[in-house]
Amino acid sequence: EIVLTQSPATLSLSPGERATLSCRASQSLNTYLAWYQQKPGQAPRLLIYDASNRATGVPARFTGSGSGTDFTLTISSLEPEDFGVYYCQQRSNSPPECTFGGGTKVEIK
Amino acid sequence: VQLVESGGGLVKPGGSLRLSCAASGFTFSSYNMNWVRQTPGRGLEWVASISRSTNYIYYADSLKGRFTISRDNVKNLLYLQMNSLRVEDTAVYYCVRDAYASSWFSNWFDPWGQGTLVTVSS
């Protein structure tokens, strides 16, 4: 099983600040990694797929980067609606087992 | 595109429950589908996946033999039959679509349903 380790667990920032979230995989994923945003009481929402592609409707302030085992999600300037929990996710090809990282909570400082 | 889960509730350990997911707004029979659950302690956990033609079905190793995923492409419904439920199965269960229509499973999920809460307790 591929393990995804996210850091930090919690990020306390103010609106307007830059957020940098990390996801490290136990095996190389090439670029097959996605990021999701989850707000309280809501389901996760796809933000970034294939490591660096923004999903439909995702603002340009969200940038994904990385390949292999190290990936980063950057929020260039935090907006109030960006606070929540962010998860990375990968899926193996065969069998198509899926794992998620433990999440990074971005909270208002 | 909408996914609406139902069937959650309170069940005693050892009991059974069947979750349903009603899909609308897209061609259900063209997409592989999945169940993912979430607990405060274990976070997000993939449960099971089923291909669009039901040819391929996969489960998380820890759940094999107790859970069964199925679908009805005429009624646009996805199911999860859960037997021999344990306290640790307590979670919000999400119905999740593969991000793109393909004969094999896509690498990411989009969209997610709103989830249904399953509580296993005596």
Side-chain angles (χ1 to χ4, degrees):
Chain A
E1 177 184 291
I2 296 175
V3 176
L4 298 178
T5 303
Q6 291 188 242
S7 62
T10 304
L11 209 45
S12 297
L13 296 168
S14 300
E17 289 193 295
R18 181 185 188 92
T20 303
L21 290 66
S22 173
C23 177
R24 178 162 290 178
S26 60
Q27 300 176 34
S28 178
L29 302 179
N30 196 342
T31 59
Y32 298 128
L33 184 100
W35 291 92
Y36 299 84
Q37 175 194 62
Q38 187 176 33
K39 297 180 184 180
Q42 297 185 16
R45 164 201 175 199
L46 179 66
L47 273 185
I48 301 286
Y49 63 93
D50 205 15
S52 61
N53 295 283
R54 279 187 292 273
T56 303
V58 175
R61 62 182 181 272
F62 290 91
T63 302
S65 63
S67 65
T69 60
D70 290 305
F71 300 87
T72 301
L73 175 67
T74 302
I75 311 171
S76 59
S77 178
L78 280 165
E79 296 286 341
E81 62 266 29
D82 298 337
F83 293 93
V85 184
Y86 292 81
Y87 296 94
C88 57
Q89 173 257 325
Q90 70 80 34
R91 186 175 215 169
S92 306
N93 187 48
S94 186
E97 298 174 345
C98 166
T99 54
F100 295 86
T104 292
K105 182 179 182 180
V106 178
E107 62 177 25
I108 301 174
K109 188 174 180 180
Chain B
V1 176
Q2 195 170 19
L3 300 167
V4 180
E5 302 94 335
S6 60
L10 176 63
V11 61
K12 288 182 167 53
S16 297
L17 212 54
R18 188 175 86 155
L19 306 183
S20 299
C21 170
S24 60
F26 66 100
T27 305
F28 181 68
S29 59
S30 295
Y31 286 82
N32 304 319
M33 297 294 296
N34 314 271
W35 288 98
V36 175
R37 66 184 183 182
Q38 184 172 31
T39 65
R42 297 193 307 276
L44 289 165
E45 181 182 17
W46 169 71
V47 172
S49 298
I50 184 168
S51 64
R52 57 191 186 181
S53 59
T54 71
N55 285 354
Y56 302 102
I57 292 176
Y58 295 93
Y59 299 95
D61 283 343
S62 60
L63 302 172
K64 278 179 188 173
R66 295 194 300 123
F67 287 17
T68 302
I69 188 173
S70 62
R71 65 190 295 163
D72 184 331
N73 285 344
V74 174
K75 296 181 179 178
N76 291 349
L77 289 169
L78 177 72
Y79 301 105
L80 185 68
Q81 176 68 42
M82 303 185 294
N83 298 330
S84 303
L85 282 162
R86 305 169 181 169
V87 171
E88 54 266 32
D89 294 319
T90 296
V92 175
Y93 285 75
Y94 292 103
C95 168
V96 187
R97 194 191 74 173
D98 266 16
Y100 48 86
S102 174
S103 56
W104 193 243
F105 297 92
S106 67
N107 291 93
W108 21 85
F109 305 127
D110 183 44
W112 298 53
Q114 87 288 352
T116 186
L117 176 62
V118 172
T119 303
V120 185
S121 174
S122 54

